[in-house]
Amino acid sequence: DAKTTQPTSMDCAEGRAANLPCNHSTISGNEYVYWYRQIHSQGPQYIIHGLKNNETNEMASLIITEDRKSSTLILPHATLRDTAVYYCIVRVHGSGNTGKLIFGQGTTLQVKP
Amino acid sequence: NAGVTQTPKFRILKIGQSMTLQCTQDMNHNYMYWYRQDPGMGLKLIYYSVGAGITDKGEVPNGYNVSRSTTEDFPLRLELAAPSQTSVYFCASSSGLAGTDTQYFGPGTRLTVL
């Protein structure tokens, strides 16, 4: 699975959009980009994933560049409850895949009033 | 559905003691995983299972054992506890189906070895 690079920490004002970048320059054609987050002391929570098209769900949007070497997770209206560590992970889907996730250090997002 | 449940929530062990961390899921998921998380670090995979009777090592398996006799349960065994095993342990499960293999995590077990 490809390695990812994320900033160590970011701040965001409450109510504003939080844009969390992730570099995955060695991503393979069959690897998906996943985002999870971990609120203090809790188990990680799935947010969103995508292959090459932009994706949106009730929690966030995922923008993947055309060359797929980087992506951005967007929380459109950040709240204090979005303060967490955000992990960007790339991995393969499909039969024979064991579903293992390789976690890096992630980005600590601090949403401020 | 309760999702993924873990017991105990907290535990203090003495060096050399043994214990079993319990993990149960009620989503009929084939795949289950054990991770550990040291302070300020990301999660590291200890063991995983793709179905009952099948287990395999992850990144950091030394000092641990697992079994998977049923789809629902995936206990993690520490035989001779060491201070280096002080960590938070998370169990997770996923369906294993292509395109829908989101992992669902339990609340964690906080283990201290003194």
Side-chain angles (χ1 to χ4, degrees):
Chain A
D1 292 336
K3 182 179 177 180
T4 63
T5 304
Q6 300 177 250
T8 302
S9 64
M10 294 181 64
D11 290 341
C12 177
E14 188 178 19
R16 304 298 292 269
N19 298 288
L20 290 86
C22 179
N23 285 322
H24 31 79
S25 58
T26 60
I27 192 169
S28 300
N30 60 347
E31 287 182 311
Y32 285 70
V33 179
Y34 272 78
W35 284 84
Y36 282 77
R37 74 179 181 183
Q38 186 175 24
I39 296 171
H40 181 61
S41 298
Q42 298 180 20
Q45 175 191 25
Y46 165 81
I47 302 173
I48 198 167
H49 74 278
L51 182 62
K52 54 184 178 181
N53 297 321
N54 297 338
E55 301 287 345
T56 296
N57 63 19
E58 65 278 3
M59 290 182 67
S61 295
L62 174 60
I63 308 298
I64 302 173
T65 58
E66 192 168 342
D67 63 7
R68 302 207 327 118
K69 293 186 177 182
S70 65
S71 60
T72 301
L73 178 73
I74 301 173
L75 307 178
H77 305 287
T79 70
L80 298 178
R81 288 175 294 179
D82 292 321
T83 292
V85 179
Y86 288 77
Y87 296 100
C88 171
I89 301 166
V90 293
R91 54 175 289 258
V92 177
H93 274 193
S95 61
N97 169 40
T98 58
K100 293 183 289 184
L101 296 175
I102 307 298
F103 286 83
Q105 300 272 79
T107 296
T108 298
L109 175 68
Q110 182 73 48
V111 180
K112 298 185 174 181
Chain B
N1 287 351
V4 179
T5 57
Q6 294 182 239
T7 57
K9 286 186 170 55
F10 304 92
R11 184 70 185 270
I12 298 175
L13 283 182
K14 294 182 179 178
I15 294 172
Q17 286 186 319
S18 301
M19 78 164 293
T20 298
L21 283 67
Q22 301 292 345
C23 175
T24 300
Q25 53 91 9
D26 62 359
M27 296 174 281
N28 200 32
H29 283 169
N30 290 319
Y31 291 11
M32 296 187 74
Y33 312 85
W34 274 107
Y35 296 88
R36 61 174 286 174
Q37 185 174 34
D38 299 332
M41 306 296 287
L43 282 73
K44 291 190 184 299
L45 183 65
I46 306 172
Y47 270 96
Y48 66 98
S49 168
V50 298
I54 305 169
T55 63
D56 208 345
K57 296 177 180 179
E59 301 171 85
V60 290
N62 291 344
Y64 307 94
N65 279 300
V66 293
S67 60
R68 184 95 182 272
S69 56
T70 67
T71 299
E72 296 78 20
D73 300 307
F74 190 40
L76 178 71
R77 178 83 177 161
L78 282 71
E79 290 295 348
L80 292 170
S84 60
Q85 294 177 306
T86 293
S87 192
V88 181
Y89 292 84
F90 291 101
C91 180
S93 72
S94 68
S95 65
L97 298 175
T100 61
D101 50 358
T102 301
Q103 287 192 21
Y104 297 85
F105 286 80
T109 293
R110 284 147 186 79
L111 176 67
T112 302
V113 181
L114 300 174

